[in-house]
Amino acid sequence: MAFNYANWLRQDLMPHIWCPGCGIGIVLKSAIRAMESLGWNQDTIGFVSGIGCTSRAPGYVDMNTLHTTHGRALTFATGLKMAAPDKNVVVMAGDGDSAAIGGNHLIHSCRRNINITMIIVNNEIYGMTGGQYSPTTPGGARAATAPYGNIDPGFDLCQLTIAAGATYVARGHVANGIFLERLIKGGMAHKGFAVIEVMSNCHTQYGRRNQHPDPAELVEHIASKAVTLTAWNKMTPEEKIGRYPIGVLHKVTDKPEYCESYYKLQQHAQERVRDAARRISEAESLRVKPELPGGGIPSEN
């Protein structure tokens, strides 16, 4: 039976305004299926975005949503998670939003290992704001701000987040939504900061400047560069040029989660304060009060 997305979407806001053929719809549907597969109740989910094409997603999903400022989705999501650690917090962002303007917040979220799932839709360009090159635009590729080709080397977001301390890092692409759903579900079920990078298409801004104006052809091109992790580990450095590994690239389970560490520290501090107050009270009660001439005891007043 076909999956029913109607219960998860705000039908009054349909149809969406993403470009025809955009890969974000595949990513969002994969995330929704992962949430339902995990048995998540919509009232327990906080869905957060910054600015960019992905920022339309919180408007369309029917749950607790937050559309924040450019690059700051993780800061709002961190506050939400700290205030309500029992909630499931999911962030969806693009490559520019997460790795450029929000790059500082990304690495520190990785370092803290806060229990948030971050889905980065990497279309290798700033799509909504006019086609400027982003931190993941490949070297030599053209963009509105690089008409003769980009000279900056692109970030490998998975390697970046692994090095910064994320405890679940995976990569997929929009040509295989079922595989992508499994990766996202794994990240959502993981206790700690999870990053799922999704290689996606922006034929409108990236494709038309780089000889891939057709959405289907660009998706096929993206998929043609993907290599399973097993095959990747057997390739030579020369064979890896222009390709990327997919699957769960990194997972550790023995690193403390940030909210738990914070509330444990808070409890310890409160016990210390209560213990100190109790000792002061006991010392006061044991203090010998001087007698007044004639045998009286001085009044507290």
Side-chain angles (χ1 to χ4, degrees), residues 37-290:
S37 178
L38 289 167
W40 285 7
N41 183 296
Q42 287 156 266
D43 292 334
T44 69
I45 304 169
F47 196 93
V48 186
S49 82
I51 295 292
C53 298
T54 54
S55 70
R56 300 302 306 171
Y60 298 141
V61 292
D62 188 12
M63 53 190 73
N64 305 298
T65 57
L66 198 57
H67 178 195
T68 72
T69 49
H70 213 344
R72 309 296 180 244
L74 276 172
T75 62
F76 285 87
T78 297
L80 177 59
K81 188 65 181 179
M82 293 295 291
D86 59 320
K87 304 301 182 187
N88 300 302
V89 180
V90 178
V91 174
M92 181 178 282
D95 44 292
D97 194 43
S98 61
I101 300 170
N104 192 37
H105 305 304
L106 176 63
I107 60 173
H108 290 291
S109 296
C110 294
R111 177 171 66 96
R112 295 179 181 126
N113 193 38
I114 190 167
N115 192 15
I116 293 173
T117 303
M118 183 165 198
I119 303 169
I120 303 177
V121 182
N122 182 4
N123 56 19
E124 302 182 322
I125 205 162
Y126 280 90
M128 189 185 75
T129 56
Q132 301 93 334
Y133 68 86
S134 82
T136 62
T137 302
R142 290 183 171 83
T145 48
Y148 302 106
N150 175 34
I151 62 169
D152 293 352
F155 267 141
D156 182 326
L157 288 180
C158 288
Q159 289 298 320
L160 175 69
T161 52
I162 290 171
T167 50
Y168 179 97
V169 179
R171 180 189 284 125
H173 56 69
V174 293
N176 190 339
I178 300 301
F179 183 62
L180 188 57
E181 175 190 339
R182 290 205 298 267
L183 297 179
I184 294 173
K185 182 180 177 182
M188 290 176 171
H190 177 72
K191 185 179 177 181
F193 192 67
V195 178
I196 301 95
E197 181 189 18
V198 186
M199 304 305 296
S200 185
N201 60 302
C202 179
H203 46 283
T204 304
Q205 295 290 0
Y206 181 88
R208 67 186 176 89
R209 291 184 171 89
N210 292 281
Q211 301 180 338
H212 299 289
D214 181 77
E217 189 277 330
L218 181 53
V219 169
E220 289 179 354
H221 175 70
I222 291 169
S224 71
K225 298 189 292 183
V227 181
T228 63
L229 188 58
T230 303
W232 178 263
N233 290 333
K234 297 177 182 176
M235 294 170 67
T236 66
E238 291 76 20
E239 291 172 330
K240 293 178 179 177
I241 295 174
R243 312 291 295 277
Y244 59 86
I246 57 173
V248 178
L249 308 183
H250 177 71
K251 183 178 181 180
V252 296
T253 57
D254 58 351
K255 184 176 179 179
E257 193 276 325
Y258 189 71
C259 291
E260 286 188 352
S261 297
Y262 174 79
Y263 283 106
K264 185 177 178 181
L265 179 65
Q266 184 186 57
Q267 183 180 11
H268 174 69
Q270 289 172 339
E271 288 174 354
R272 288 286 300 272
V273 170
R274 282 196 292 267
D275 186 55
R278 185 171 60 249
R279 287 201 302 272
I280 291 172
S281 177
E282 291 173 352
E284 285 292 321
S285 65
L286 294 174
R287 185 164 59 91
V288 176
K289 298 177 180 178

